[in-house]
Amino acid sequence: MKFKHTSVLLHETIDNLKPKNGGLYVDATFGGGGHAKYLLSKIDSGTLIGFDQDEYAIQAAKLNFADLLKDESDPQLKLVHDNFSHLEENLVKLGYSDSIDGIYYDLGVSSPQFDQADRGFSYRYNARLDMRMDQSQDLDAYELVNTRSQKELADILYQYGDEKFSRQIAHRIVERRKEQPIKTTFELVDIIKDAIPAYARRTGGHPAKKSFQALRVAVNHELDVLKASLEEAIKVLRPGGRISVITFQSDEDKIVKGIFKKYSEVEIPRGMPMIPEGLKPTLRLVNRKPITATASELENNKRSHSAKLRVAEKI
């Protein structure tokens, strides 16, 4: 089982965690394990806990990282099949409540998920509308497209995809599904193309790109679970522990930036000679501005073009 995926900002993400022997680390988005492999190469001892809600990714990891999993009493790598919004709950079960030295996130959909045509993530392959990262959840893109109101669909397309033709697309979707349910990715692509004016389709990449992104975010509740997970991640870090987060969308970056700001800045009342313990910041920003890909990486990995990395340290 192969899970080929070129990790973005590989060295920057891991090196900023300052990996150390005997450390305890969390990969919140294990995927193909590219970041995990590099982190483990930096330490001779320690433990990495890898989370992924995609069963395919977990099964691939069990094969590709078998050597690190074989010592069941004390494996160097532990895999958790769950959404990273349940980070703290799973770490408590494993006996790690507030002792994590480093946590990192590589958000978005991995290349293998796009390449699996039957997952319905991509507008390039014809498949049943799905887009679920966790195949056990009930809500999928088919249900979303065929049951939500015109206003709800327009809001999803605009808020999560920044699609300026969201109302026209939502209207076309509702009109088309009156005839019969919209079942496949290509059916949806055709609807989107019909809704967008010809002049707008000539530039800006594939006309369905923004809509497919928006639907994927909505199906998987990506922004809500990110907020919940970051709150838990900060809580379980030990003092001096670090968190690295790679985002690919502006909404994701705003969430990360906002939460890091919330825990790194404090408002001190006038006249107060010293900051009380309860008002002291929890985090220190390692980088004020996001780290982006080098020219070399931009040339070799197109996925890196929109990537932004933010890093913070627990005080």
Side-chain angles (χ1 to χ4, degrees):
M1 183 182 292
K2 294 183 178 180
F3 201 104
K4 189 176 181 182
H5 173 73
T6 304
S7 298
V8 172
L9 296 168
L10 175 64
H11 296 92
E12 295 89 341
T13 301
I14 301 304
D15 290 346
N16 271 293
L17 294 180
K18 295 187 175 180
K20 61 183 181 181
N21 288 332
L24 181 59
Y25 300 93
V26 172
D27 184 329
T29 51
F30 196 83
H35 288 96
K37 185 176 181 180
Y38 178 62
L39 183 143
L40 292 169
S41 74
K42 304 284 287 183
I43 57 177
D44 297 322
S45 62
T47 302
L48 175 64
I49 303 161
F51 283 75
D52 208 296
Q53 64 181 331
D54 188 341
E55 177 63 24
Y56 178 81
I58 293 293
Q59 293 305 319
K62 287 180 179 178
L63 291 176
N64 299 332
F65 291 83
D67 289 346
L68 300 175
L69 296 163
K70 61 185 178 183
D71 184 357
E72 294 184 3
S73 61
D74 187 27
Q76 194 173 4
L77 173 64
K78 297 181 180 182
L79 298 172
V80 179
H81 178 214
D82 203 350
N83 186 283
F84 57 49
S85 62
H86 304 139
L87 196 75
E88 185 180 18
E89 176 187 342
N90 282 285
L91 290 175
V92 169
K93 286 180 183 177
L94 292 170
Y96 312 119
S97 55
D98 56 357
S99 55
I100 306 301
D101 293 291
I103 302 176
Y104 58 94
Y105 295 72
D106 179 4
L107 301 173
V109 178
S110 60
S111 301
Q113 288 170 323
F114 274 121
D115 293 339
Q116 286 180 281
D118 60 347
R119 299 291 294 273
F121 282 109
S122 177
Y123 43 76
R124 294 188 178 91
Y125 306 111
N126 194 27
R128 183 185 183 278
L129 284 170
D130 191 329
M131 302 191 190
R132 292 173 298 169
M133 292 184 184
D134 180 355
Q135 292 286 289
S136 67
Q137 79 171 39
D138 294 327
L139 178 66
D140 61 9
Y142 173 85
E143 181 179 341
L144 200 72
V145 166
N146 286 288
T147 63
R148 297 298 170 90
S149 69
Q150 182 171 319
K151 182 182 183 305
E152 286 176 308
L153 288 171
D155 288 345
I156 287 170
L157 298 180
Y158 183 76
Q159 291 173 11
Y160 299 149
D162 196 27
E163 175 54 74
K164 64 180 179 181
F165 298 105
S166 58
R167 292 181 180 179
Q168 294 94 316
I169 295 171
H171 175 72
R172 290 293 181 101
I173 287 173
V174 171
E175 289 302 304
R176 181 69 64 87
R177 75 189 190 193
K178 287 177 182 177
E179 303 169 11
Q180 60 182 23
I182 301 164
K183 297 179 180 179
T184 70
T185 53
F186 277 9
E187 287 177 43
L188 182 58
V189 167
D190 288 342
I191 293 168
I192 294 168
K193 286 181 177 178
D194 287 344
I196 297 176
Y199 73 87
R201 296 199 305 268
R202 298 189 192 106
T203 59
H206 196 286
K209 181 178 180 179
K210 292 181 177 180
S211 294
F212 269 60
Q213 171 188 299
L215 292 171
R216 189 204 78 219
V217 169
V219 166
N220 297 287
H221 309 288
E222 291 180 29
L223 301 183
D224 291 334
V225 298
L226 175 59
K227 292 175 186 176
S229 186
L230 289 175
E231 294 280 354
E232 294 191 1
I234 294 167
K235 188 176 178 180
V236 301
L237 276 176
R238 68 164 76 243
R242 288 189 169 192
I243 177 172
S244 296
V245 187
I246 308 170
T247 62
F248 294 90
Q249 304 167 22
S250 60
D251 287 338
E252 292 173 341
D253 185 57
K254 285 177 185 175
I255 289 171
V256 178
K257 182 180 179 181
I259 289 180
F260 280 11
K261 181 179 180 180
K262 170 185 172 182
Y263 285 99
S264 64
E265 296 182 5
V266 294
E267 292 185 13
I268 306 171
R270 283 185 180 181
M272 186 171 287
M274 59 183 296
I275 305 174
E277 283 296 324
L279 290 180
K280 288 184 177 179
T282 304
L283 296 178
R284 177 185 70 84
L285 300 183
V286 174
N287 57 315
R288 290 279 171 184
K289 292 184 178 180
I291 298 168
T292 54
T294 62
S296 175
E297 181 170 7
L298 289 171
E299 185 178 347
N300 294 295
N301 187 358
K302 64 180 183 180
R303 188 169 174 262
S304 68
H305 283 255
S306 58
K308 293 181 179 180
L309 170 65
R310 295 185 185 273
V311 186
E313 179 178 295
K314 190 165 185 178
I315 299 172

